[in-house]
Amino acid sequence: MISRLLQVISTGVRRLVASDAGAGIVLLIAAVAALAVANSPLWPLYEDLGSFECGFGALGLHLQLREWITDGLLAVFFFTVGLDLKEEFVSGILRDPKIAVLPVAAACGGVVCPAVIYVLAVMPIGGEAIDGWAVPTATDIAFAISILAVVGKGLPHQLRAFLLTLAVVDDLIGIAIIAFYYTAGIHALPLLLALGALALFAFLLRKGITSPLIVVPLAGIAWVLVHASGIHPTICGVALGLCVPASAPWKGQHSMARMLARKLAPYSKLLIVPIFAFFAAGVNVGGWSGLALRLQEPVTLAIVAALTLGKMLGITGTTFVLTRLPVLSLPKGLRWSEMIGMGFVAGIGFTVSMLIGELAFGARSALDDESKIGVLVGSLLSASIGALILQICVRYRRSRLVQGNDSGAVRQ
């Protein structure tokens, strides 16, 4: 009986890891747990744990636990992002400009529009609040794809492909923003040494030298040097991912980039990102009255508006304008109502949004707390509205399918 129970649990865990919805569920649990702990008598313990300092002072790495998670552990997540980007550029949808142009442009619109809405909303108070303009520009791919997996069964596969491409480009833009805007100062010597370490890392992989005893310490050295250079070390994770070959088969199977991405995905989605979420999403709101006051803060309101409306307007507006051109059209089988629903779902900004908030305002600052509340509320509203619209679209397609009038619906 016990062995049977363990087998059932093991099967359930494997299915959770393999499913799109699994990552979103685990991430949601981590965020809810963080909020619950932060608004309970355990709040002081939660703060002390995040502030616990450890590391290597001689290397300038005597950091708080929260910083180790943000700078170090999250770099592994960004490594998988780099692997995905490399795969898309070499053999994925981003390889074909004719196919990629629409979701790429939509991603750009989905970055610009929320940023403009945010800046206009906080302009009256100005000051440090302006620095958070990039917080509502990110799409959390794990949450977004999870919502689509749960409520979008019956919708064309082109919608998922559009959202995936959009989210990948969105990640790339977010990485560029972190690298160029939220880097205060750069120390040349460590940066040059880091570039040398990255070049050696890429060279070894190209030559087929993949021993963990060699490449993992080299990757660690590159990370330490990037950290010392003043650039946020998560950028090193992306750079390392982009160094991995993605064109030739590896060990007679898929490319090295795809194989590594598949191996690391469960750890990234079900362990690393939830750990970050647990330490990042914990905001003490001071009860319902405190939450009501926080929701009236300009930064919070600006992020909520930018995520909920800005993402959808930027994505669908850009797509609509470009499809007026004779050379571009909406992917076959998609409806505008589904694009609008997907645009709302893309307003779920969580992991990268919270990271940018910490970089913009400083971790645990008052504005950072307002930013996180805005991200949580805006993401919840975006997910709810998007899920409702997509569910209506699914029901409409099913009713049309029964009538035999909808060739674009996907039969389940």
Side-chain angles (χ1 to χ4, degrees):
M1 175 121 179
I2 294 177
S3 61
R4 175 60 180 166
L5 178 61
L6 291 175
Q7 184 179 1
V8 170
I9 293 174
S10 176
T11 302
V13 170
R14 286 198 300 269
R15 289 178 178 175
L16 183 68
V17 171
S19 69
D20 284 331
I25 292 171
V26 175
L27 194 54
L28 179 62
I29 292 172
V32 171
L35 286 171
V37 170
N39 292 275
S40 74
L42 295 174
W43 165 246
L45 180 62
Y46 175 83
E47 278 292 276
D48 290 343
L49 180 62
S51 302
F52 176 75
E53 294 187 357
C54 56
F56 312 95
L59 297 176
L61 293 173
H62 194 69
L63 309 174
Q64 295 182 357
L65 179 60
R66 189 179 293 110
E67 292 174 317
W68 276 112
I69 293 168
T70 301
D71 295 357
L73 201 58
L74 210 57
V76 180
F77 162 72
F78 275 92
F79 176 69
T80 63
V81 172
L83 293 172
D84 290 336
L85 285 171
K86 184 67 174 286
E87 187 72 21
E88 290 296 331
F89 279 120
V90 173
S91 58
I93 194 170
L94 295 179
R95 183 182 181 185
D96 188 343
K98 293 181 181 179
I99 299 176
V101 63
L102 204 58
V104 168
C108 294
V111 168
V112 173
C113 190
V116 170
I117 290 176
Y118 176 89
V119 170
L120 292 176
V122 301
M123 193 173 290
I125 62 173
E128 190 182 1
I130 297 291
D131 291 337
W133 64 270
V135 172
T137 63
T139 295
D140 191 287
I141 189 169
F143 265 140
I145 295 299
S146 297
I147 294 294
L148 202 60
V150 172
V151 304
K153 294 179 180 179
L155 295 176
H157 68 89
Q158 292 93 332
L159 189 68
R160 184 181 185 275
F162 196 103
L163 178 59
L164 272 173
T165 308
L166 184 150
V168 167
V169 177
D170 190 282
D171 280 341
L172 182 60
I173 296 173
I175 291 162
I177 290 172
I178 292 171
F180 293 105
Y181 187 82
Y182 293 109
T183 297
I186 298 178
H187 304 291
L189 181 58
L191 180 58
L192 289 174
L193 292 174
L195 292 175
L198 288 168
L200 180 58
F201 180 83
F203 175 78
L204 293 177
L205 293 184
R206 288 285 179 185
K207 293 299 181 180
I209 301 173
T210 59
S211 171
L213 296 177
I214 298 175
V215 296
V216 172
L218 184 57
I221 291 170
W223 180 87
V224 171
L225 290 168
V226 170
H227 186 278
S229 73
I231 296 175
H232 198 272
T234 52
I235 302 301
C236 180
V238 179
L240 289 167
L242 292 173
C243 289
V244 178
S247 53
W250 185 47
K251 296 182 178 180
Q253 300 183 44
H254 297 291
S255 70
M256 188 184 298
R258 179 175 293 185
M259 293 290 289
L260 285 176
R262 287 184 176 181
K263 287 183 178 181
L264 291 175
Y267 301 99
S268 176
K269 294 188 297 184
L270 301 179
L271 184 64
I272 293 173
V273 176
I275 289 175
F276 168 77
F278 180 76
F279 282 92
V283 181
N284 191 316
V285 298
W288 291 109
S289 59
L291 179 61
L293 290 174
R294 298 272 190 132
L295 289 175
Q296 298 175 34
E297 297 292 343
V299 168
T300 304
L301 289 174
I303 292 174
V304 171
L307 283 175
T308 308
L309 295 177
K311 272 291 184 180
M312 185 276 295
L313 292 175
I315 291 169
T316 57
T318 302
T319 305
F320 180 80
V321 170
L322 289 181
T323 52
R324 300 307 96 187
L325 301 175
V327 293
L328 293 174
S329 61
L330 204 63
K332 186 177 180 181
L334 291 187
R335 292 189 172 92
W336 282 107
S337 57
E338 294 157 358
M339 289 295 296
I340 292 172
M342 187 268 293
F344 275 110
V345 169
I348 304 173
F350 194 82
T351 307
V352 179
S353 287
M354 288 194 172
L355 174 60
I356 292 176
E358 291 188 357
L359 296 176
F361 303 125
R364 321 311 291 176
S365 66
L367 286 179
D368 183 37
D369 285 351
E370 293 174 20
S371 169
K372 288 175 179 175
I373 292 172
V375 169
L376 292 170
V377 174
S379 298
L380 179 60
L381 286 174
S382 296
S384 301
I385 297 171
L388 178 61
I389 293 174
L390 291 178
Q391 191 60 41
I392 293 173
C393 292
V394 168
R395 291 178 180 176
Y396 176 77
R397 278 190 177 273
R398 286 174 177 168
S399 67
R400 298 279 290 177
L401 187 60
V402 170
Q403 299 171 16
N405 296 325
D406 194 350
S407 60
V410 178
R411 298 177 186 271
Q412 298 295 319

